[in-house]
Amino acid sequence: MSVSPEQALRQDLAAAFRLAAEFGWSESVANHFSAVISPDGRRFLLNPKWRHFSTIRASDLAVVYLDDIAAGAAPDLDPSALTIHGSIHAALPAAKVLLHCHPDYATALSTLKDPTIRPIDQNTCRFYDRVAYDLSFGGLGDTADEGARLARAMGNHSLMMMGNHGVLVSADSVAHAFELLYYLEKACKTMILAYSTGQPLNDMPAEVARATAQGWDAYRGVSDAHFAHLKSRL
């Protein structure tokens, strides 16, 4: 039986929550994933307040209307989620899906004075010159000013290392966003393990790193195949 585009999006987003929990990327009942359901980004799906990632169902996802929030009729949702996701969806309509969480290795890297993902293998090269680095942590992210600042910091990047905080990933589909998050955490793990040796890192030349990053673009279809496999396990 066919499902509507919104229902399919709900199912994919719910799967992303459950898979994130399987990968150990959940944190208590915090953090949020969202996906827009209007072209201007002012209506989007968001996980309900204080629900563990492993329990999220497609039918649980709340529909958030930014116009209602602006009028003071905010639903019973986490203020930081409304601020971060609402601000970025409103400012960057191309950000169809936003995944924000605190995976272990990415978060550890975000706490370093220099959280740059350096080009030391083909996975880290995937992110060469493609990540926004925000080093101006301003608290829990539950104020309008902080939301606007994060949207500016994100700019036209698909990923942001949130200094002293975690990560934010954006894409045009849940599958592509999840794949970026998957490889981002792998790249950060490689960085942390390499740093832990105490040896100097062997950065690739800029031209090799850039070409490798561009080479990853041809493998876009892998995201859909990987996510379909992961969903089949749920």
Side-chain angles (χ1 to χ4, degrees), residues 61-94:
L61 297 169
V63 176
V64 179
Y65 298 83
L66 286 182
D67 293 340
D68 288 347
I69 295 171
D76 184 24
L77 297 167
D78 192 311
S80 65
L82 296 175
T83 297
I84 296 173
H85 292 253
S87 298
I88 293 175
H89 282 312
L92 307 169

Side-chain angles (χ1 to χ4, degrees), residues 116 118 120 190-191 193-203:
T116 304
R118 293 166 58 179
I120 58 174
T190 298
M191 287 293 303
L193 290 175
Y195 275 134
S196 73
T197 68
Q199 300 284 331
L201 301 192
N202 183 22
D203 288 31

